[in-house]
Amino acid sequence: MFQKISLFSLYKKVIKNYWDQNQFVLFRKPYERKVFFYSHYNSKGKIFFLIQDFDHNCTIKIVPKKVYYADIQSPSSVKETYKDNYFLLTYSSEYKNLIQKAVEEIRKGHFKKVVLSRSIKISFHNFYFKKTFQKLIFSYPNALISLWYNVHHGFWIGCSPELLMKSHKNKFKTVPLAGTVWDQKKWTKKEIEEHKIVIKYITHLLKFYKGSILLEKTKTVEMGRLKHLETPIFFSFLEEPDYYEILDRLHPTPSICGFPKKESLDFIQKYEGYKRNFYTGYIGPVNKENMELYLNLRCARIKEDKKEITLYAGSGITMDSNIDQEYIETEKKVKNILSQLIFK
């Protein structure tokens, strides 16, 4: 089922499947030294790559006949020089107004947290997929790096730092990530409370099941120039559960939606003003009952036919949010991936 090939052969398979309009995915798990390639063959295999949109309206399964993988070269062996991208991001008064409205709703007691996002479109002439994918791998070793293609949805590329769920038999792991600072800023009450909301939601959900829970100490994780709070959570079930049922209950978590879920989701759908599509959905490999799924963050949709890239970023809004800081946070997150895109 698994076959090792050269990186050159791997990229040739990518090109062939694209020309054949066959859906495929190229990905590297965090801290690993292998790039995997799945191209769709049929719908009966137990090994596949799962892609789910935010609204749970579209599910894509890339089911390969054979899984190909290649070892990653060390950065020093990739003799490429890259230019930094300098794009002026257009100012959005609408997004600032949306943050203001959310803070007012929170202060009225309608919900405790809501994650609001926006999309930014940029035009391009020629885009280097291969070089961008390589650069993401070397820039973000602690993220899931993915490039997938579907004829109806185009290309999506991303570098997600957040593990939604990893399961093996009766063992479950999730690593919620919420709260963001940059430069030399210290953690404030706002980020700490924002993070605690996510932890509370997940631990409360797991209390419905028989087993034992373990929360590791909250720590700081770096993603480029940004810092986030993360807390690994482990759960051992007495009996192997239905992980799809847990997945449906878990997603969307307060790190990409809000809390309480229904009220924050209603606010997003009513006021955010655009469709997130696969941004803040989840993606990852599934092998029978074993899943390793990541939230689809720090991602971009690339439309080759229109020569257009759409970038996405969001921020968690609470009672203590500073509107200007939340706005800057989304700009920093967009630049997290925009800085890695390579154009001719």
Side-chain angles (χ1 to χ4, degrees):
M1 185 69 191
F2 291 81
Q3 183 178 333
K4 184 178 179 180
I5 56 175
S6 68
L7 271 174
F8 178 72
S9 298
L10 201 73
Y11 290 126
K12 275 177 70 177
K13 287 186 180 295
V14 169
I15 293 164
K16 183 182 186 308
N17 279 272
Y18 171 63
W19 287 115
D20 291 343
Q21 294 193 328
N22 187 39
Q23 61 185 13
F24 65 83
V25 62
L26 196 63
F27 68 95
R28 188 225 54 197
K29 295 180 189 178
Y31 302 111
E32 290 204 355
R33 303 291 300 167
K34 291 183 176 70
V35 174
F36 290 91
F37 176 76
Y38 293 14
S39 61
H40 190 66
Y41 176 70
N42 65 32
S43 58
K44 295 176 184 175
K46 292 187 176 180
I47 291 178
F48 55 89
F49 193 88
L50 180 61
I51 302 164
Q52 182 69 54
D53 70 332
F54 173 71
D55 290 319
H56 290 219
N57 290 328
C58 183
T59 306
I60 296 172
K61 287 184 181 181
I62 300 175
V63 188
K65 185 177 183 180
K66 188 174 281 190
V67 174
Y68 296 95
Y69 69 93
D71 289 334
I72 300 168
Q73 298 167 318
S74 63
S76 58
S77 67
V78 181
K79 294 181 174 63
E80 297 282 2
T81 55
Y82 304 116
K83 293 182 294 183
D84 279 335
N85 292 322
Y86 293 100
F87 286 93
L88 285 173
L89 301 179
T90 52
Y91 178 78
S92 173
S93 58
E94 291 89 350
Y95 187 66
K96 272 199 170 179
N97 292 338
L98 182 61
I99 297 169
Q100 175 71 53
K101 184 173 181 60
V103 172
E104 289 168 4
E105 293 293 305
I106 290 166
R107 286 177 179 162
K108 288 176 187 173
H110 292 167
F111 41 82
K112 289 184 178 178
K113 173 185 175 178
V114 63
V115 179
L116 298 175
S117 71
R118 61 187 178 122
S119 63
I120 295 169
K121 291 183 179 180
I122 60 171
S123 299
F124 67 92
H125 183 60
N126 282 310
F127 178 71
Y128 282 117
F129 283 93
K130 180 182 173 183
K131 290 178 181 178
T132 297
F133 189 77
Q134 285 178 329
K135 193 178 180 190
L136 285 170
I137 282 174
F138 301 135
S139 298
Y140 302 125
N142 59 341
L144 174 81
I145 310 299
S146 63
L147 170 66
W148 61 270
Y149 169 79
N150 174 283
V151 69
H152 302 296
H153 303 288
F155 286 96
W156 283 73
I157 194 165
C159 47
S160 176
E162 185 166 358
L163 178 69
L164 176 64
M165 66 177 281
K166 187 174 183 177
S167 64
H168 179 69
K169 294 182 179 176
N170 68 327
K171 303 290 184 188
F172 169 89
K173 178 184 180 184
T174 182
V175 188
L177 185 148
T180 305
V181 293
W182 53 91
D183 300 332
Q184 303 305 312
K185 291 183 182 177
K186 299 284 189 280
W187 296 112
T188 69
K189 178 191 169 190
K190 186 265 171 181
E191 291 87 38
I192 292 165
E193 288 302 315
E194 181 190 350
H195 187 75
K196 280 181 180 176
I197 288 169
V198 188
I199 303 307
K200 188 177 178 182
Y201 166 83
I202 293 172
T203 52
H204 180 72
L205 186 151
L206 290 170
K207 282 178 184 174
F208 282 90
Y209 303 92
K210 291 179 180 178
S212 56
I213 192 168
L214 170 66
L215 271 73
E216 284 195 356
K217 190 177 176 183
T218 300
K219 57 188 178 184
T220 300
V221 60
E222 292 189 11
M223 183 74 178
R225 294 173 185 172
L226 299 178
K227 294 176 183 174
H228 307 288
L229 290 172
E230 71 168 26
T231 305
I233 300 172
F234 299 85
F235 197 86
S236 294
F237 295 92
L238 286 181
E239 295 178 0
E240 193 171 334
D242 177 353
Y243 282 114
Y244 285 102
E245 185 261 337
I246 292 169
L247 182 58
D248 283 342
R249 293 185 62 202
L250 186 63
H251 183 268
T253 69
S255 65
I256 46 125
C257 177
F259 185 83
K261 185 188 284 190
K262 185 186 181 302
E263 288 76 6
S264 56
L265 191 55
D266 286 348
F267 186 88
I268 289 166
Q269 291 171 340
K270 191 172 181 180
Y271 296 110
E272 202 168 57
Y274 81 108
K275 284 288 182 189
R276 292 188 183 186
N277 294 314
F278 296 97
Y279 167 65
T280 61
Y282 52 80
I283 59 172
V286 177
N287 185 345
K288 296 172 185 170
E289 298 304 313
N290 304 328
M291 305 179 187
E292 189 169 340
L293 303 173
Y294 295 79
L295 291 174
N296 195 24
L297 306 171
R298 307 295 191 280
C299 59
R301 182 184 190 179
I302 303 153
K303 289 186 177 178
E304 271 277 284
D305 54 339
K306 294 186 178 179
K307 299 293 181 185
E308 182 182 82
I309 294 179
T310 306
L311 300 126
Y312 304 85
S315 184
I317 314 302
T318 68
M319 189 182 288
D320 299 312
S321 284
N322 175 296
I323 294 165
D324 290 327
Q325 290 298 305
E326 301 292 358
Y327 185 91
I328 293 166
E329 182 180 322
T330 61
E331 292 208 326
K332 298 277 185 186
K333 286 176 176 176
V334 164
K335 288 174 182 176
N336 236 181
I337 186 161
L338 181 57
S339 63
Q340 307 301 309
L341 304 181
I342 299 168
F343 303 91
K344 286 184 183 176

